[in-house]
Amino acid sequence: MALISLKNVSIRFGGQHVLDNIEFMLEAKDRACLVGRNGEGKSTLLRLMNGDLEPDSGSIVYAKDVKVAYLPQHMPQN
């Protein structure tokens, strides 16, 4: 059973696809690295997996008791 699974996930900003029908599965003991140019969707993918964004289509499934966290690029301004 995958810890997290994305199936046919798409999200748009301003009418343009940032992620288009992606599939991703992370199993226990897997290690993953996101690499890409600015604006390619790395942070958007992490925000989707963290639950900060909802996909326009597709599904994100979590195994029982899985917790997702990430460190944002910019610190919040107080």
Side-chain angles (χ1 to χ4, degrees), residues 3-55:
L3 296 177
I4 186 168
S5 177
L6 285 75
K7 297 178 185 176
N8 299 319
V9 170
S10 294
I11 190 166
R12 294 176 186 227
F13 293 119
Q16 185 164 359
H17 275 105
V18 175
L19 301 172
D20 188 17
N21 288 321
I22 65 163
E23 297 207 10
F24 175 78
M25 189 178 291
L26 189 63
E27 301 280 347
K29 298 185 181 182
D30 279 352
R31 294 177 186 232
C33 177
L34 293 175
V35 178
R37 297 181 298 187
N38 292 346
E40 296 280 321
K42 300 176 300 292
S43 295
T44 299
L45 176 61
L46 292 174
R47 291 178 65 205
L48 283 164
M49 291 192 301
N50 196 47
D52 297 335
L53 295 174
E54 290 290 324

Side-chain angles (χ1 to χ4, degrees), residues 59-78:
S59 63
I60 302 174
V61 179
Y62 305 89
K64 183 179 177 184
D65 298 326
V66 166
K67 294 180 183 177
V68 176
Y70 82 107
L71 181 63
Q73 292 183 58
H74 304 286
M75 296 302 292
Q77 300 291 323
N78 289 334

